[in-house]
Amino acid sequence: MSGIRDAHARSLEDPEGFWGEAAEEVHWFRRWDRVLDDSRAPFVRWFPGATLNTAYNALDRHVEAGRGEQAALIYDSPVAGVTATFTYAELLDRVARTAGGLAALGVEKGDRVLIYMPMVPESVIAMLACARIGAVHSVVFGGFASQELAKRIDDACPKLVLAASCGIEPGRVVAYKPLLDGAIAASHAPPERCVVLQRPQARAALDPRRDLDWVEAFDGAAPAACVELAATDPLYILYTSGTTGVPKGVVRDHGGHAVALCWSLRNVYGVAPGDVFWAASDIGWVVGHSYIVYAPLLHGCTTVLYEGKPVGTPDAAAFWRVAEEHRVNVLFTAPTALRAIKREDPDAELPKRHDLSAFRTLFLAGERADPDTVVWSQRALGVPVIDHWWQTETGWPMAANCLGIEALPVKPGSPTLPVPGYDVRILDEDGRELGAGETGHVVVRLPLPPGCMPTLWENDAGFVSSYLERFPGFYQTGDAGHIDEDGYLWIMSRTDDIINVAGHRLSTGRLEEVLAGHPDVAECAVFGAADALKGQAPIGLLVLKAGCDSAPEAVVRQVVARVREQVGPVAAFKKACIVERLPKTRSGKVLRGVMQRMADGEPFAVPATIDDPAILDEILEALRGLGLAGGS
Ligand code: COA
Ligand code: AMP
């Protein structure tokens, strides 16, 4: 058997041969003219000339091949008190009818459909129904507030919005419809129609001029056939935080995506058709798109859709209960979920009470997997714990221990080696390549492999300026790290103003925008401080306008509420305080990095360019008051 290093080398030396072979796993209506077209580099197209349908590959072909009675989707919701299983035949029927209902509402190939829904089967059905007729879906995470939703509506200009009446968080029902109505009212590109799934926990008031009931619109609809789509047609847009307040619309194509996801499930995750794969994430994130919905179904697996939390629904044994009940073979989650479980069950007593004999591997991603969590999980579960690294932009892992090819020794804290297709390099500020052990910008030599974003939605210039301009010939990941002498990659931090809170990516620029919108705030800075549970937590420092007579505590309370209202609860913005001034360089740049190191109690160098070093004492005091920088 050839090893991972050989596979990696071959993927870079002969990408067309490598991915052409991988593409044999996908059903094509028409084969490609070329595997890779880079004649318009840096814009590249995978499998031009080919046609396929992603939903056909995810459902119809498995039913035709005799998997009709196999479970395709297991819905497990401790918060709704419901468990339901859909076979491939049943899921196909629901998807085809929903696709027919979308078509009857005038949705055509290329139209955008925005999905603002929680973790219910109808969300998965809606995504696949769009794929079936060539509509481009854009799922918005339920934890985002109206303003964030409005920005995404304005950018995607959806013809239709699909929503649920509510989501269910532990201890509270989140009514989605008022948030949606608010977003549509604020939007410059309101959709023609909204179709609303009424959940019994909170029914929504429908506006008869615009809103339709889900059951009426879809359940009786005539099934729609699969539309033949170009490999290069867009399947979806997924918005992610950039460094500014404007989210980036990451585009995914049909062909490269199907090829990369099938390949990854077999080769990275070591999963075979028929296995039970559970990604404990949310369909609003890329992990949910790739590994709850598309990859497991494309590969003929059973996927688990879990509407609950790792703790509190009802307890820290929830993951092990689900794994036992549904005979889960592979679980994928974020390290923060394991930290939450570990906090409640430090001696790992709970996994022992469950039959985890089917459970083979735990995969972690979404944030840096700290070695403590990796080691604790290995001991608690007695299975390999595999950290792997990727981003919304790539859609599938850039670095991993590829269990389907060759299992390498785990080094806790490293996601192991670059995955085939990704030529990962470390560059210094001037774009010079660094050697083993030297920390710098983590970049990927172009072209990116199939499945990675071909561009940003209707924003080719933004794609180039955000990712390709800084280091010509390379894709800039925005992460910093190094490669060690064994070729293992270590991802240590971001190089930009993005922070990672509980595996969710947040823009500090966006949070600052909201704080600065408070009438009493003259200046502000947001940075991420280490948090034992969530990895990082956002911290806000505020300078009040001269002559402001509001009580400082009131302003802090108000900005915390503003972030929740304008960005959403998922920002988890809880800590802020007032300071006299912000530390800056003489040219006026706010020293966020210095404040972050102070907050984390790490040594920091006072920059020679600092305007007024004395200010740091005041900042230290303020951070201590927030329980940071060694304060209690
Ligand atoms: N709709 C509405 N609100 C939501 C939401 C949703 N879909 N998802 C989260 N929220 C809310 C939460 O209720 C919480 O509100 P609160 O401030 O009233 O408590 C807030 O957003 C922050 O959520 P979260 O960061 O998830 O924290 P938590 O305290 O609820 O849970 C963990 C902590 C660690 C259990 C949780 O973060 C977790 O399971 N994370 C997994 C991360 C993950 O799946 N990442 C995806 C990438 S793989
Ligand atoms: P997102 O696009 O929201 O999935 O966030 C991607 C970012 O999360 C990456 O650019 C990293 O900063 C971080 N990240 C994801 N997985 C890992 C990992 N395994 N190790 C370190 N950082 C990670």
Side-chain angles (χ1 to χ4, degrees), residues 349-372:
E349 293 299 332
L350 296 173
K352 293 182 201 148
R353 299 186 199 158
H354 292 271
D355 172 8
L356 299 179
S357 53
F359 190 32
R360 291 200 303 262
T361 327
L362 173 66
F363 280 86
L364 299 178
E367 57 175 320
R368 182 171 142 74
D370 52 291
D372 281 356

Side-chain angles (χ1 to χ4, degrees), residues 189-202:
E192 290 167 17
R193 296 272 191 182
C194 299
V195 182
V196 180
L197 175 74
Q198 297 283 18
R199 302 189 78 189
Q201 292 78 9

Side-chain angles (χ1 to χ4, degrees), residues 118-356:
M119 291 284 285
V120 292
E122 285 79 1
S123 309
V124 177
I125 291 167
M127 292 165 78
L128 291 163
C130 289
R132 194 168 186 88
I133 58 170
V136 181
H137 64 67
S138 187
V139 182
V140 178
F141 179 63
F144 282 124
S146 281
Q147 276 197 16
E148 290 297 314
L149 182 56
K151 284 183 195 171
R152 288 153 174 83
I153 292 176
D154 282 346
D155 195 68
C157 302
K159 187 165 205 169
L160 192 77
V161 171
L162 303 178
S165 57
C166 66
I168 309 169
E169 285 297 293
R172 77 195 151 102
V173 170
V174 183
Y176 279 17
K177 189 63 178 7
L179 297 171
L180 175 61
D181 288 342
I184 291 177
S187 159
H188 307 302
E192 290 167 17
R193 296 272 191 182
C194 299
V195 182
V196 180
L197 175 74
Q198 297 283 18
R199 302 189 78 189
Q201 292 78 9
R203 294 181 67 82
L206 302 187
D207 175 348
R209 289 162 305 176
R210 191 196 63 199
D211 303 335
L212 294 163
D213 178 85
W214 189 285
V215 174
E216 285 169 25
F218 297 143
D219 281 17
C226 291
V227 171
E228 189 168 335
L229 299 163
T232 50
D233 280 339
L235 165 66
Y236 70 75
I237 309 166
L238 179 57
Y239 289 90
T240 188
S241 297
T243 47
T244 66
V246 185
K248 291 174 172 162
V250 168
V251 174
R252 197 83 57 210
D253 65 11
H254 278 267
H257 175 251
V259 171
L261 290 191
C262 282
W263 186 91
S264 72
L265 217 55
R266 186 185 295 284
N267 293 286
V268 176
Y269 297 92
V271 163
D275 280 350
V276 180
F277 190 88
W278 175 24
S281 177
D282 189 287
I283 52 141
W285 307 121
V286 69
V287 175
H289 280 63
S290 294
Y291 293 107
I292 296 174
V293 182
Y294 287 110
L297 298 177
L298 286 166
H299 199 48
C301 299
T302 300
T303 186
V304 178
L305 183 76
Y306 173 69
E307 188 183 25
K309 303 270 176 180
V311 294
T313 58
D315 55 29
F319 273 22
W320 322 133
R321 193 267 304 160
V322 172
E324 173 179 6
E325 236 165 72
H326 306 306
R327 305 289 298 159
V328 169
N329 300 119
V330 174
L331 168 62
F332 174 167
T333 191
T336 187
L338 269 306
R339 288 196 297 267
I341 293 171
K342 177 177 146 202
R343 197 163 70 168
E344 297 202 3
D345 180 25
D347 298 327
E349 293 299 332
L350 296 173
K352 293 182 201 148
R353 299 186 199 158
H354 292 271
D355 172 8
L356 299 179

Side-chain angles (χ1 to χ4, degrees), residues 544-550:
L544 298 185
K545 285 181 180 160
C548 154
D549 51 15
S550 304

